[in-house]
Amino acid sequence: MATHTWTLTDTTQALDCDTFEISAREIPGTGDRWSVVKQTLHGGLCEGVDTVEINNGRMQLVILPTRGMGVWQARIDDGVLGWRSPVRGPVHPAFVPIFDPSGLGWLEGFDELVVRCGLGSNGAPDFDASGRLSYPLHGRIANRPAWKVDVIIDDSSGTLTVRGVVDESRIHFQKLRLVTAITTSLDSTSFAWHDTVENIGGKAAEMQMLYHINVGEPILTPGSKLVAPVASMAPRDSVAMEGVASWNILGPPEPNSIEQVFFFQLAANNDGQTQVLLMNPRKETGTAVRFNVRELPYFTLWKNQVAKADGYVIGIEPATNFPNPRSFESQQNRVIQLAAGATWSADVEIDWLLDSAKVAQLEGAIQSIQGATQPAIHHKPQAGWSQ
Amino acid sequence: MATHTWTLTDTTQALDCDTFEISAREIPGTGDRWSVVKQTLHGGLCEGVDTVEINNGRMQLVILPTRGMGVWQARIDDGVLGWRSPVRGPVHPAFVPIFDPSGLGWLEGFDELVVRCGLGSNGAPDFDASGRLSYPLHGRIANRPAWKVDVIIDDSSGTLTVRGVVDESRIHFQKLRLVTAITTSLDSTSFAWHDTVENIGGKAAEMQMLYHINVGEPILTPGSKLVAPVASMAPRDSVAMEGVASWNILGPPEPNSIEQVFFFQLAANNDGQTQVLLMNPRKETGTAVRFNVRELPYFTLWKNQVAKADGYVIGIEPATNFPNPRSFESQQNRVIQLAAGATWSADVEIDWLLDSAKVAQLEGAIQSIQGATQPAIHHKPQAGWSQ
Amino acid sequence: MATHTWTLTDTTQALDCDTFEISAREIPGTGDRWSVVKQTLHGGLCEGVDTVEINNGRMQLVILPTRGMGVWQARIDDGVLGWRSPVRGPVHPAFVPIFDPSGLGWLEGFDELVVRCGLGSNGAPDFDASGRLSYPLHGRIANRPAWKVDVIIDDSSGTLTVRGVVDESRIHFQKLRLVTAITTSLDSTSFAWHDTVENIGGKAAEMQMLYHINVGEPILTPGSKLVAPVASMAPRDSVAMEGVASWNILGPPEPNSIEQVFFFQLAANNDGQTQVLLMNPRKETGTAVRFNVRELPYFTLWKNQVAKADGYVIGIEPATNFPNPRSFESQQNRVIQLAAGATWSADVEIDWLLDSAKVAQLEGAIQSIQGATQPAIHHKPQAGWSQ
């Protein structure tokens, strides 16, 4: 019983495997169905995107080292956990115009189940007084490739892990390093990641992180419900104001509708742990997202109830802050300060629920976190939360 | 007798052939000289550019899936139809700074015989009130790679076709899909394309298209003439005003001259078909471009009579509009509206004329289209046509 | 005895060797230890970067065709001449956001020993009246790939040369061509380059060049000294003003310090030749940089005495001008004018000194250049030198 580690990429050692495959038969006693496979995609916008696919025996997880260690999608049998973005990726960063002066070029690479927004900024585009872009939408990290990728198999715990290291460094400015370990257990239908962001520079730095977790069909369908233990909630703007009464229920796709965004602070257990659940109307299937409000104190819900062809999707977004422009979040003291050498870390778990019993159990668990806490539902944008 | 189809690239199927070659011997009865070959270029700015070269037995046509299915050049024996741009490509989009805040980065990738300008915009850079770029020069499509590429051989009609699909999608904004089929017949000296642009999004969208067809030496030489059936014409600006009297005659290369641009509406047959002809001074060789004014009602002539080293070239540009900034064209109602699922389409043919008889025949055909129509030649820029 | 030439890349011939290796045994009589090897790096930000490594038998020199023929680093035994940038490269241009509207994206690719800044501009970002970027920091050339690369072995002189050609062309704007020949002799500890910039366009053009030569540990350490024959010197700004008294001595890394930049005109021999020397405090090791003030009349010293993790480094920067914004340098007539077909050229040599005797000899040589020239040390920024 031991931990087995393979390094797939390490640019400091001039090491990068073209392809890699490890499977159950190579580690006796770990069952006979798992595998981890690295490939490189070719053609169109995908040209040059590396994928590392973990098959834990039941679920396949596609990880994208080329896109900041995002998780493209999870699959079980013929089912996909993810969404159908009007951008068909995964898209290589060379095709994402991240510094389009509008600050919105990031959208051209956006099609993953899990996208990290950060590290220097994570919100809406920010501009200086002359109208010049200072922070592009959702930051840089999703379009930065990992320079180190390891696969770690622990045959005592039965876990399969892909670890990646991604730097976001610019001399004179920030030097931030993300180390993520994405783990799933043999035959499970869940996966989790442990992220550490380190200020590898010699002076104080600032960071933001938001996990943009995107779920579409089939879990998302008219009548699907988001169950969350709410401490307080407010609409982001006048568009979301119109949707406050039904904030937790998904409406049908409406071609000309505009995204609704809701900001929350969530209730949590004594140790800060909390979770939210998206379930389909019949409560047969769903997705739970678990995290700790001490690490990720702000929560955003993105309801994009547009036509299916335009990307009918919900965004479940635990974060260090609200995804407003960086300068506003800074005024509100919602930017993480990291001294030289200091780290920030967080754990997030995604649980894919495939039967009514599990959905019911999760719904109950969230009600229990809600407990006696009376949710403060604001019907208008709140000063300090929205610009 | 049948249609034979090969798929070279389809990213939705994780399919992308490194190389591909099909030739006459593989389809009995189609002669013995044609071939279609896919390769990838390496080195310098060309690194990673895919080419698909059709040899119809007489003419070779180099198509660029990596650059939005542009046509790099045509060749017959030692002759080249195209031009000698000061940019030596074909250039991979990763080296084209399309969102340079000046909006002019597109120029660094510009060296093809046929470049599509579109789909969201096709004209001069457009800026918002703060001076921030909103639409870059000539749009995005020439720097977007095809995600699907097919080769189709029809041995009953004797045609060789390369079909490509290129998306220009940004969530919250446009979702436009170009499907082009570029076709040539065995042993012919012409080729044509049928383009369809579909709004694959769920709400109304807008589009523009301009075919930037660029011809230099040897057809272009001092005294070369553009023959066109003119309904009305106006210079774009004060620089072009100086050249109105000789708008259809090419002057010699002049090192410090500035491009002259003329805007037209062309006369056409009853069914809307029209054509223009560029011929050399002795009328021995030329190029005709055929299209339909119901599909492409506006025509632009770009005379770039600069030094050869700077790109002595003429641009023959049938389009849905004039290549002014997007906001001006919108005010003038020259932007195509596409409902969800709606399509726009156009056919264009380029005919490479290699003897005096064909040149004379084409010149006559254009005079016949002109017929009794008295061309309205404006000597100043026209309100509504120019800003 | 002859000159042997191999072409590794020539995009005009559709030629690009995947890998290349030539070594001493292939040319009898050239010793037994030299080699020239081309490889392509993979993984992370390095993906796709070509390197050509010259081993002259004693020193290895890593040249970067993909990054405008920069020199990544030199190595002798376990020692490295170069620096430890917080950006870990070499970085492929596709990952360098050169047109970030701030103009500072260049910094994300900056980790070489020798980086060329140019050709259209070489200084701080420049903006137009609306705040829109007109010239990004340090220009384009370091992020343009060579389209022609040759290896030249001269077995009579015992020299190993890598020659590269890099174009910086944009139709309607500049068409500039850099041809560089980087040469080292068998078993030597020095290397030199001869650069020619040609205006390959048909009309007058302008250019700038600055060689950003960056040295960190172990030569750079607190107490290291820059020895230079100074004609006149001035601090660039108020930050550098504070450091005038100790301009030539390196202080310790200070985490929150800000770069100090000093501008110079150097004394030179009658033929214009001059040199500067960076030596460690014990004068046991150092680097000399030799050039001609008729070619490179302006000299900049960049002292970046920040924490090691932030890039503790000195920049030794001979140039055609001071690296101020382009428009200011233009006002000061410090932009090179090139008529159509005209060329500019310069030679620079870097000498890696590995013993006290050589350091002492160089120090003496520089004192001899200084001779009776009394250095004019300005204690404030000078009008005409700084904005």
Side-chain angles (χ1 to χ4, degrees):
Chain A
M1 304 298 243
T3 292
H4 308 262
T5 301
W6 294 264
T7 298
L8 277 51
T9 299
D10 184 349
T11 60
T12 66
Q13 306 298 318
L15 169 66
D16 187 54
C17 302
D18 261 8
T19 58
F20 171 87
E21 177 161 9
I22 183 81
S23 64
R25 39 177 180 279
E26 298 177 56
I27 306 184
T30 58
D32 61 354
R33 297 188 302 157
W34 66 266
S35 62
V36 182
V37 176
K38 177 190 172 185
Q39 296 184 76
T40 301
L41 302 179
H42 293 285
L45 299 170
C46 305
E47 179 66 40
V49 173
D50 289 342
T51 64
V52 178
E53 181 164 335
I54 306 178
N55 181 349
N56 69 15
R58 183 164 189 208
M59 180 174 67
Q60 296 83 48
L61 210 58
V62 183
I63 296 166
L64 302 174
T66 308
R67 293 189 51 79
M69 296 296 295
V71 180
W72 192 45
Q73 54 180 223
R75 290 193 295 263
I76 294 177
D77 301 329
D78 292 338
V80 173
L81 183 62
W83 62 302
R84 198 161 166 78
S85 168
V87 172
R88 297 290 153 75
V91 182
H92 192 279
F95 290 113
V96 180
I98 201 85
F99 281 108
D100 170 352
S102 75
L104 298 172
W106 183 94
L107 294 168
E108 295 186 13
F110 176 41
D111 86 328
E112 299 102 324
L113 168 61
V114 182
V115 196
R116 280 178 197 80
C117 301
L119 304 174
S121 66
N122 68 5
D126 206 355
F127 300 91
D128 69 13
S130 78
R132 190 164 67 217
L133 183 67
S134 44
Y135 293 98
L137 176 67
H138 289 330
R140 308 287 307 282
I141 197 69
N143 290 283
R144 304 274 294 175
W147 61 264
K148 190 167 195 296
V149 179
D150 301 305
V151 171
I152 303 156
I153 311 295
D154 184 332
D155 62 12
S156 54
S157 63
T159 55
L160 310 170
T161 296
V162 176
R163 184 171 56 195
V165 185
V166 192
D167 284 4
E168 197 181 287
S169 291
R170 182 183 278 196
I171 185 169
H172 298 324
F173 297 87
Q174 85 291 344
K175 293 104 195 167
L176 297 171
R177 172 167 295 168
L178 166 71
V179 180
T180 182
I182 305 172
T183 297
T184 185
S185 296
L186 291 175
D187 293 315
S188 91
T189 62
S190 68
F191 65 99
W193 60 90
H194 176 72
D195 278 11
T196 300
V197 176
E198 181 181 357
N199 175 6
I200 57 171
K203 57 183 179 180
E206 296 185 330
M207 63 153 284
Q208 300 188 305
M209 176 69 90
L210 178 145
Y211 298 101
H212 211 299
I213 301 167
N214 311 294
V215 180
E217 294 182 297
I219 296 176
L220 195 76
T221 194
S224 290
K225 188 174 175 184
L226 189 86
V227 186
V230 177
S232 57
M233 185 274 265
R236 181 184 64 177
D237 54 23
S238 60
V239 174
M241 260 176 69
E242 304 297 316
V244 166
S246 59
W247 71 267
N248 61 343
I249 303 294
L250 265 288
E254 290 184 18
N256 290 299
S257 70
I258 297 173
E259 57 176 8
Q260 294 182 348
V261 176
F262 302 94
F263 291 153
F264 298 80
Q265 284 191 301
L266 296 183
N269 289 338
N270 287 339
D271 59 1
Q273 280 296 123
T274 193
Q275 55 188 334
V276 300
L277 164 68
L278 175 71
M279 59 186 184
N280 77 348
R282 292 172 170 226
K283 304 190 179 186
E284 302 146 328
T285 181
T287 309
V289 178
R290 297 187 188 107
F291 51 94
N292 194 301
V293 297
R294 296 178 190 164
E295 294 164 346
L296 298 161
Y298 301 95
F299 179 79
T300 295
L301 171 64
W302 174 52
K303 291 174 79 179
N304 198 42
Q305 299 168 135
V306 295
K308 290 182 185 186
D310 292 334
Y312 181 66
V313 66
I314 193 175
I316 297 169
E317 307 174 7
T320 58
N321 59 289
F322 294 127
N324 294 305
R326 178 70 156 66
S327 53
F328 179 76
E329 291 301 290
S330 188
Q331 287 161 22
Q332 302 301 324
N333 297 313
R334 286 192 298 258
V335 176
I336 304 284
Q337 309 296 313
L338 286 182
T343 60
W344 169 92
S345 65
D347 287 271
V348 181
E349 185 179 16
I350 294 186
D351 201 349
W352 188 355
L353 312 171
L354 294 157
D355 61 67
S356 308
K358 281 205 172 168
V359 172
Q361 179 194 332
L362 259 290
E363 195 179 4
I366 292 169
Q367 284 162 350
S368 152
I369 295 171
Q370 183 77 61
T373 305
Q374 198 58 32
I377 304 292
H378 299 286
H379 291 264
K380 293 186 182 171
Q382 292 300 292
W385 281 22
S386 297
Q387 266 187 309
Chain B
M1 302 298 244
T3 292
H4 308 262
T5 301
W6 294 263
T7 298
L8 278 50
T9 298
D10 183 349
T11 60
T12 66
Q13 306 297 321
L15 169 67
D16 187 56
C17 303
D18 259 8
T19 58
F20 171 87
E21 179 161 8
I22 182 80
S23 63
R25 53 182 165 273
E26 298 176 57
I27 307 184
T30 58
D32 61 355
R33 297 189 302 157
W34 66 267
S35 62
V36 182
V37 176
K38 177 191 172 185
Q39 297 184 75
T40 301
L41 303 180
H42 294 285
L45 299 169
C46 305
E47 179 66 40
V49 173
D50 288 343
T51 63
V52 178
E53 181 165 334
I54 307 179
N55 181 350
N56 69 13
R58 182 162 188 208
M59 180 175 65
Q60 295 83 47
L61 210 56
V62 183
I63 295 166
L64 303 174
T66 309
R67 292 189 51 80
M69 296 297 293
V71 180
W72 192 44
Q73 54 181 222
R75 288 193 295 264
I76 294 178
D77 301 327
D78 292 338
V80 173
L81 183 63
W83 62 303
R84 197 159 167 81
S85 168
V87 172
R88 299 290 153 75
V91 182
H92 192 279
F95 290 113
V96 180
I98 201 86
F99 281 108
D100 169 350
S102 74
L104 298 173
W106 183 93
L107 294 169
E108 296 187 12
F110 176 39
D111 87 327
E112 299 101 326
L113 168 62
V114 181
V115 196
R116 280 178 196 78
C117 300
L119 304 175
S121 66
N122 68 5
D126 206 355
F127 300 92
D128 69 13
S130 78
R132 191 162 66 217
L133 183 68
S134 43
Y135 293 99
L137 175 68
H138 289 329
R140 308 287 307 282
I141 196 69
N143 289 285
R144 304 274 294 175
W147 61 265
K148 190 165 195 297
V149 180
D150 301 305
V151 172
I152 304 156
I153 312 293
D154 183 332
D155 61 13
S156 53
S157 62
T159 55
L160 312 169
T161 296
V162 176
R163 185 171 56 198
V165 185
V166 192
D167 284 4
E168 196 180 288
S169 292
R170 183 183 278 196
I171 186 168
H172 298 324
F173 297 87
Q174 85 291 346
K175 293 104 195 168
L176 296 171
R177 173 168 296 170
L178 166 71
V179 180
T180 183
I182 304 172
T183 297
T184 185
S185 296
L186 291 174
D187 294 316
S188 90
T189 61
S190 69
F191 65 98
W193 60 91
H194 176 72
D195 278 10
T196 301
V197 176
E198 181 181 357
N199 175 6
I200 58 170
K203 57 181 179 182
E206 296 183 331
M207 64 152 283
Q208 300 187 307
M209 178 69 90
L210 177 145
Y211 298 102
H212 212 300
I213 301 167
N214 311 295
V215 181
E217 294 182 298
I219 296 176
L220 195 76
T221 194
S224 290
K225 186 172 176 187
L226 189 86
V227 185
V230 177
S232 56
M233 185 272 264
R236 183 184 64 178
D237 53 22
S238 59
V239 174
M241 258 176 70
E242 305 296 317
V244 166
S246 58
W247 72 266
N248 61 343
I249 303 294
L250 265 288
E254 289 184 18
N256 289 299
S257 70
I258 297 172
E259 57 176 10
Q260 294 182 349
V261 177
F262 302 94
F263 292 154
F264 299 80
Q265 285 191 303
L266 297 183
N269 289 336
N270 287 339
D271 58 1
Q273 281 296 125
T274 194
Q275 55 187 337
V276 301
L277 164 68
L278 175 69
M279 59 187 184
N280 77 348
R282 292 173 170 225
K283 305 190 179 187
E284 300 147 328
T285 181
T287 309
V289 178
R290 298 189 187 106
F291 52 94
N292 195 302
V293 298
R294 295 179 191 164
E295 294 164 347
L296 299 161
Y298 300 95
F299 178 78
T300 295
L301 170 63
W302 174 53
K303 290 173 78 179
N304 199 41
Q305 300 168 137
V306 296
K308 291 182 185 185
D310 291 335
Y312 181 66
V313 68
I314 193 175
I316 296 169
E317 309 174 6
T320 59
N321 58 290
F322 294 127
N324 294 305
R326 179 68 156 67
S327 53
F328 179 75
E329 291 300 291
S330 188
Q331 289 160 22
Q332 303 300 325
N333 296 314
R334 286 192 299 258
V335 175
I336 304 283
Q337 309 295 314
L338 286 182
T343 60
W344 169 93
S345 66
D347 286 271
V348 181
E349 185 179 16
I350 293 186
D351 201 349
W352 188 356
L353 312 173
L354 294 158
D355 61 67
S356 307
K358 281 205 171 168
V359 172
Q361 179 194 333
L362 259 291
E363 196 180 2
I366 292 169
Q367 284 162 350
S368 151
I369 297 172
Q370 182 78 59
T373 305
Q374 198 58 30
I377 304 292
H378 299 286
H379 291 264
K380 293 186 181 172
Q382 292 300 292
W385 280 24
S386 296
Q387 268 186 308
Chain C
M1 303 297 245
T3 292
H4 308 262
T5 301
W6 294 264
T7 297
L8 278 51
T9 299
D10 183 350
T11 60
T12 66
Q13 306 297 319
L15 168 67
D16 187 55
C17 303
D18 260 8
T19 58
F20 172 86
E21 179 162 6
I22 182 80
S23 63
R25 43 178 173 277
E26 298 177 57
I27 306 184
T30 58
D32 60 355
R33 296 188 303 158
W34 67 267
S35 61
V36 181
V37 177
K38 177 191 172 187
Q39 296 183 77
T40 302
L41 302 180
H42 293 285
L45 299 170
C46 305
E47 180 66 39
V49 173
D50 288 343
T51 64
V52 178
E53 181 165 334
I54 306 179
N55 182 350
N56 68 15
R58 182 163 188 206
M59 180 174 67
Q60 296 83 47
L61 210 56
V62 183
I63 295 166
L64 303 174
T66 308
R67 293 190 50 80
M69 297 295 295
V71 181
W72 192 43
Q73 54 182 222
R75 289 193 295 264
I76 294 178
D77 300 328
D78 292 339
V80 173
L81 183 63
W83 62 301
R84 199 162 166 79
S85 169
V87 172
R88 299 289 155 74
V91 182
H92 193 279
F95 290 114
V96 180
I98 200 86
F99 282 109
D100 169 351
S102 75
L104 298 173
W106 183 94
L107 295 169
E108 296 186 13
F110 177 39
D111 87 327
E112 299 102 324
L113 168 61
V114 182
V115 196
R116 280 179 197 76
C117 300
L119 305 176
S121 66
N122 69 6
D126 205 357
F127 301 91
D128 70 13
S130 78
R132 191 163 67 217
L133 183 67
S134 43
Y135 293 99
L137 175 67
H138 289 330
R140 308 287 306 285
I141 196 69
N143 290 284
R144 304 275 293 176
W147 61 264
K148 189 166 195 297
V149 179
D150 301 305
V151 172
I152 303 156
I153 311 295
D154 183 333
D155 60 13
S156 53
S157 63
T159 55
L160 311 170
T161 296
V162 176
R163 186 172 55 198
V165 185
V166 192
D167 283 4
E168 196 181 288
S169 293
R170 181 182 279 196
I171 185 169
H172 300 323
F173 297 86
Q174 84 291 342
K175 294 102 193 169
L176 296 171
R177 172 167 295 168
L178 167 70
V179 180
T180 183
I182 305 172
T183 298
T184 185
S185 296
L186 292 175
D187 294 316
S188 90
T189 61
S190 68
F191 64 100
W193 59 91
H194 176 72
D195 278 11
T196 300
V197 176
E198 181 181 356
N199 175 6
I200 58 171
K203 57 182 179 182
E206 296 185 330
M207 64 152 284
Q208 300 188 305
M209 177 68 90
L210 178 147
Y211 298 101
H212 211 300
I213 301 167
N214 311 294
V215 181
E217 295 182 297
I219 296 176
L220 196 75
T221 194
S224 290
K225 187 174 175 184
L226 188 86
V227 184
V230 177
S232 56
M233 185 274 263
R236 181 183 65 178
D237 54 23
S238 60
V239 174
M241 258 177 70
E242 304 297 316
V244 167
S246 58
W247 71 267
N248 60 343
I249 303 294
L250 266 289
E254 289 184 20
N256 290 299
S257 70
I258 298 173
E259 57 175 11
Q260 294 182 348
V261 176
F262 301 94
F263 292 155
F264 299 79
Q265 285 190 304
L266 296 183
N269 289 337
N270 286 340
D271 59 1
Q273 281 297 124
T274 194
Q275 55 187 336
V276 301
L277 164 68
L278 176 70
M279 59 186 183
N280 77 347
R282 291 172 172 228
K283 306 190 179 188
E284 300 147 328
T285 181
T287 308
V289 178
R290 297 188 187 106
F291 52 94
N292 194 302
V293 296
R294 296 178 190 164
E295 295 164 346
L296 300 161
Y298 300 95
F299 179 78
T300 295
L301 170 64
W302 174 52
K303 290 172 79 179
N304 198 42
Q305 299 169 135
V306 296
K308 291 182 184 185
D310 291 335
Y312 181 66
V313 67
I314 194 176
I316 296 169
E317 308 174 7
T320 59
N321 59 289
F322 294 126
N324 295 303
R326 179 69 156 68
S327 53
F328 180 74
E329 291 300 292
S330 188
Q331 288 161 22
Q332 303 300 325
N333 297 314
R334 285 192 299 257
V335 175
I336 304 283
Q337 309 295 314
L338 287 182
T343 59
W344 168 93
S345 66
D347 286 272
V348 181
E349 184 179 16
I350 293 186
D351 201 349
W352 189 355
L353 312 171
L354 294 158
D355 60 69
S356 308
K358 282 204 172 168
V359 172
Q361 179 195 333
L362 260 290
E363 197 180 3
I366 293 169
Q367 283 162 351
S368 152
I369 297 171
Q370 182 78 60
T373 305
Q374 197 58 31
I377 303 293
H378 300 285
H379 291 264
K380 292 184 181 174
Q382 292 299 293
W385 281 22
S386 297
Q387 269 187 309

